[in-house]
């Protein structure tokens, strides 16, 4: 522990700045400008250099960028697909939602301009990891209870509405990403037109 602190100080900005100023003190000593008080001059210049040097700052933590987070969401989408294959679910709602989510995940949420932002990844992550599994699980459990008490509202309507809302959210995301990509394309066209003039 103490050894690492000593090594840390030896590599610090303060020690390097102090060492440079201390070398300046030695140059003054060899030129005769420091006189008999050369140890005080060298130590003083070292201390001054160490005091004026900027403090060490810790490196910011390296969090994964949204693209790396999107890879994890893709893996979870594979798990969700396996779960949906095992569940007795009407095929139409399943297909409508999973097709759009799959398209967004496979396309990497757009191209060069439409790189996934944290909000985009959050929307997809929440849909894949929470909203769709919860909607399907609730449907399956409610359907079981509905069989025991006929005449109640069928859970299919709620599932249909939930999946419609989730699909609308995914479509809004796709539309926003498309708009970003279209603006980038227009901007690039203007750049090329301006460059050719």
């Amino acid at each position: 522990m103490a050894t690492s602190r000593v090594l840390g100080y030896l590599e610090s900005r303060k020690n390097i700045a102090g060492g440079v100023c201390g070398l300046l003190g030695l140059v003054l000593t060899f030129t005769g400008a420091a006189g008999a008080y050369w140890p005080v001059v060298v130590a003083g210049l070292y201390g001054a250099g160490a005091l004026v040097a900027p403090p060490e700052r810790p490196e910011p933590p390296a969090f994964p960028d949204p693209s790396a987070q999107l890879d994890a969401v893709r893996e979870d989408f594979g798990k969700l697909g396996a779960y949906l294959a095992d569940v007795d679910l009407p095929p139409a709602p399943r297909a409508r939602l999973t097709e759009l989510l799959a398209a967004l995940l496979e396309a990497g949420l757009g191209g060069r301009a439409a790189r996934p932002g944290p909000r985009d990844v959050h929307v997809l992550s929440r849909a894949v990891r929470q909203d769709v599994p919860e909607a399907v699980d609730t449907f399956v459990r409610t359907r079981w209870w509905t069989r025991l008490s006929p005449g109640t509202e069928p859970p299919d309507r709620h599932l249909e509405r939930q999946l419609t809302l989730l699909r609308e959210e995914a479509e809004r995301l796709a539309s926003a990403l498309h708009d970003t990509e279209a603006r980038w394309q227009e901007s690039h066209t203007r750049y090329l037109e301006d460059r050719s003039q």
Side-chain angles (χ1 to χ4, degrees):
M1 183 83 171
T3 307
S4 64
R5 284 187 187 169
V6 170
L7 291 175
Y9 179 76
L10 290 176
E11 297 172 349
S12 71
R13 296 177 185 172
K14 291 190 172 293
N15 185 46
I16 292 171
V20 168
C21 290
L23 286 175
L24 177 64
L26 288 176
V27 169
L28 291 174
T29 300
F30 290 127
T31 59
Y37 299 106
W38 69 268
V40 175
V41 171
V42 171
L45 285 173
Y46 175 86
L51 286 175
V52 298
E56 293 295 320
R57 61 177 181 79
E59 290 294 320
F63 295 114
D65 67 339
S67 298
Q69 294 173 357
L70 191 59
D71 291 337
V73 175
R74 282 190 187 103
E75 289 178 22
D76 292 341
F77 183 69
K79 295 175 188 173
L80 177 64
Y83 167 70
L84 292 177
D86 290 343
V87 173
D88 182 22
L89 190 66
R94 175 188 320 175
R96 278 198 351 257
L97 180 68
T98 56
E99 284 172 7
L100 183 61
L101 288 174
L104 285 169
L105 289 168
E106 286 172 16
L109 286 175
R112 187 179 340 191
R115 296 206 190 285
R119 184 185 176 285
D120 305 329
V121 174
H122 173 71
V123 168
L124 281 175
S125 172
R126 185 181 59 205
V128 168
R129 295 175 176 160
Q130 179 182 349
D131 294 336
V132 173
E134 189 172 314
V136 171
D137 184 56
T138 304
F139 165 76
V140 171
R141 285 185 285 117
T142 306
R143 186 176 56 183
W144 184 83
W145 284 107
T146 305
R147 289 178 184 159
L148 296 178
S149 55
T152 59
E153 183 179 18
D156 300 54
R157 277 192 260 171
H158 285 289
L159 177 66
E160 185 74 29
R161 182 66 183 138
Q162 291 169 2
L163 295 182
T164 298
L165 291 169
L166 289 170
R167 182 175 175 85
E168 289 171 1
E169 184 178 42
E171 285 172 347
R172 284 193 300 272
L173 175 61
S175 176
L177 292 169
H178 174 265
D179 292 345
T180 302
E181 197 69 31
R183 282 193 305 274
W184 183 87
Q185 187 179 27
E186 291 169 9
S187 172
H188 190 63
T189 302
R190 280 194 304 272
Y191 164 73
L192 292 175
E193 289 171 348
D194 293 344
R195 194 174 75 179
S196 65
Q197 293 176 355

